[in-house]
Amino acid sequence: MHDVDPEAINAETRPELGYDHRDANWKTVWKIYRWYSIFATVMVVISVGIQWTLTKTAPGKSYRAEHTMTPPRDPNPVLQSSEQAKLDITNMRRDAKKRLESFGQDVVTKQTWIPIDRAMELTVEKGINPPAKENSN
């Protein structure tokens, strides 16, 4: 069996106490509550003062009237026509197909490309990860 803790206070060992008085000091709790209440009140007053200062306007002027948004002249977005979109997609696909089926080099970016069929053949011949070259140092 376990030994009885001499410091244990409960209804069975010390019924005259009723409950444990050692866990919290009510005077300390009351002081913390008062300081917290004072701090919260001061923060609210400061926040209201800052808000009042920032929203204060000159006499005779309305804050709301100065900051209303005007709607754009043409509220509808300018959209591309369906025919133009189809033409753009067709041109984009044609250019991509042309590049995939031809040899070429971009002079500005210095990129070079080969036809996709030839690239697949080279990949099959050499493998995806060609063996690393040995350094002759």
Side-chain angles (χ1 to χ4, degrees):
M1 242 8 243
H2 298 286
D3 294 330
V4 177
D5 183 8
E7 295 292 320
I9 299 175
N10 59 37
E12 294 175 7
T13 59
R14 310 244 345 245
E16 69 275 5
L17 295 178
Y19 58 89
D20 189 359
H21 290 275
R22 297 176 298 164
D23 61 347
N25 182 351
W26 69 271
K27 290 180 182 178
T28 305
V29 172
W30 180 247
K31 286 179 185 178
I32 292 171
Y33 172 75
R34 282 192 325 206
W35 280 109
Y36 175 76
S37 299
I38 292 169
F39 175 76
T41 304
V42 169
M43 296 311 319
V44 167
V45 169
I46 289 172
S47 299
V48 169
I50 290 172
Q51 182 180 7
W52 180 78
T53 302
L54 293 175
T55 59
K56 189 171 86 171
T57 59
K61 288 188 175 180
S62 169
Y63 179 79
R64 175 167 266 183
E66 289 178 11
H67 295 88
T68 55
M69 292 180 59
T70 57
R73 283 183 268 160
D74 186 14
N76 298 321
V78 181
L79 300 176
Q80 191 175 20
S81 69
S82 180
E83 294 82 22
Q84 184 64 38
K86 288 179 184 177
L87 182 63
D88 288 347
I89 291 172
T90 303
N91 291 339
M92 181 188 70
R93 288 183 179 159
R94 184 192 67 230
D95 294 342
K97 185 176 181 183
K98 180 179 171 186
R99 186 167 181 163
L100 284 173
E101 295 176 348
S102 66
F103 289 93
Q105 181 176 11
D106 189 348
V107 179
V108 178
T109 61
K110 299 191 176 167
Q111 292 180 335
T112 304
W113 61 89
I114 61 174
I116 191 72
D117 294 333
R118 180 66 181 138
M120 287 191 280
E121 289 171 6
L122 290 173
T123 303
V124 170
E125 289 175 14
K126 294 183 179 180
I128 294 177
N129 295 321
K133 296 180 181 177
E134 294 184 21
N135 291 334
S136 60
N137 290 340

